[in-house]
Amino acid sequence: MSTTILAASRRGIARALAAFMLCAASPLAFAAATIKADSLTVGSDLTYPPYAYMDAGKPAGFDADFSRLLASKLSLKPVFVDTRFPDLILGMRAHRFDAVASALYVTPERTKLIDFIPYLKTGASLVVLAASQYAPAGPEALCGKRVASIKGASWTPKLQKVSRETCQPRGQGEIKVLEFPTSPEAMMALRSQAADAMIEDAAVVHGMLAQSKDSLKLTSTTLLYPIVIGLGINKESKELQGALAGALQRARESGEYQALLARYGLEEPSAAEIQAALMAPGR
């Protein structure tokens, strides 16, 4: 074999070995392309503590930490795209980002549009001004009232159903859901008395109460509309979904996921709860 041919052969072997090592280092390299090859681009509404918000100029909260954990398991850099909640699914389907991590509730309606990797369970709570004599314990107590909410929330059609099937037949007036682009804007409506109550995720309400200096009070007596939260993935991104599911499993096995849940006082959904979220009628 000539020296030239031998050198070319050695260069080919070196390139092949380098390619093999790249695949071995990054589980996603052989599984699926992301929008940016070395990054996991995540859509998140960064106005929604404790799940997703900005702290000292950086994304913070459970969803930000969770995204960083999964990205680390795939040797990818997490990149966050701040997007208002109603536009998250549209943005992902338009390939602005690879996944949505933003307290996105798993519902049968949404599963028609995207796939999910479930990772949390939560529910809704009702909150009013501390000085108010009005103290709604559940949805039926909202008849004839104005209720502030973040736009696109899964509980809105449920409240509208209560309004149609319970409030109006009793002559108690409709539940008027006032939708706002962000949770802070919904809270401002409550504080300015443009709304009588606010409905919000229980963990979010917990954070609001801690920062309210006793100006707010929780009035619901149980967790309303318990539901599962999931990481949103495009339906055509099956390889990416598999890679992210594998990353979550490795985080479970290492104990890092359980430690993250404990830090925020949150829980992982059971298989039965996930199935119920996906299949229950009217959810």
Side-chain angles (χ1 to χ4, degrees):
M1 182 179 295
S2 71
T3 302
T4 302
I5 295 175
L6 181 59
S9 177
R10 285 173 177 169
R11 286 195 297 271
I13 292 171
R15 285 194 297 268
L17 181 59
F20 173 79
M21 292 303 292
L22 178 61
C23 288
S26 174
L28 209 58
F30 62 84
T34 51
I35 291 172
K36 188 175 179 182
D38 61 346
S39 302
L40 179 66
T41 306
V42 179
S44 195
D45 187 340
L46 297 173
T47 66
Y48 204 60
Y51 294 105
Y53 59 100
M54 295 297 290
D55 183 22
K58 295 181 179 180
F62 182 88
D63 283 320
D65 289 341
F66 177 71
S67 299
R68 292 186 182 102
L69 176 59
L70 294 191
S72 71
K73 297 298 179 185
L74 298 173
S75 300
L76 295 174
K77 176 185 176 182
V79 176
F80 297 92
V81 180
D82 187 17
T83 304
R84 297 292 73 82
F85 188 83
D87 300 321
L88 284 168
I89 291 177
L90 290 174
M92 185 176 67
R93 296 184 76 194
H95 301 287
R96 289 185 57 217
F97 25 83
D98 301 305
V100 170
S102 193
L104 189 62
Y105 288 10
V106 179
T107 67
E109 294 80 9
R110 287 175 179 157
T111 60
K112 295 175 184 177
L113 301 174
I114 63 173
D115 287 337
F116 284 97
I117 299 175
Y119 61 96
L120 280 181
K121 64 179 178 181
T122 187
S125 294
L126 296 173
V127 63
V128 302
L129 296 178
S132 176
Q133 298 300 310
Y134 175 54
E140 291 76 12
L142 300 173
C143 295
K145 300 295 184 180
R146 302 162 300 168
V147 183
S149 171
I150 191 170
K151 187 177 180 180
S154 68
W155 51 68
T156 297
K158 298 178 178 67
L159 292 180
Q160 291 169 340
K161 182 178 180 182
V162 172
S163 184
R164 289 192 309 270
E165 298 181 1
T166 301
C167 301
Q168 294 181 34
R170 293 177 182 174
Q172 296 176 321
E174 68 172 336
I175 300 173
K176 188 173 182 180
V177 180
L178 308 176
E179 294 188 291
F180 297 88
T182 68
S183 186
E185 289 173 276
M187 174 55 65
M188 286 299 297
L190 176 63
R191 289 189 180 279
S192 66
Q193 300 184 48
D196 303 298
M198 178 179 177
I199 184 169
E200 186 51 275
D201 178 273
V204 176
V205 167
H206 180 77
M208 287 177 172
L209 293 175
Q211 298 177 15
S212 72
K213 299 180 180 179
D214 299 322
S215 63
L216 303 172
K217 63 182 177 182
L218 175 71
T219 62
S220 48
T221 53
T222 60
L223 198 63
L224 306 178
Y225 307 124
I227 201 164
V228 171
I229 287 175
L231 187 72
I233 310 291
N234 272 321
K235 284 187 172 293
E236 66 268 24
S237 301
K238 297 299 184 185
E239 293 87 354
L240 176 59
Q241 183 178 1
L244 288 167
L248 176 55
Q249 182 57 33
R250 290 193 293 279
R252 284 193 187 98
E253 292 168 355
S254 69
E256 294 167 279
Y257 177 52
Q258 292 85 339
L260 182 60
L261 288 169
R263 194 196 319 162
Y264 285 89
L266 297 170
E267 298 180 16
E268 183 175 8
S270 67
E273 287 168 330
I274 292 171
Q275 186 67 15
L278 293 169
M279 303 301 294
R283 292 293 294 273

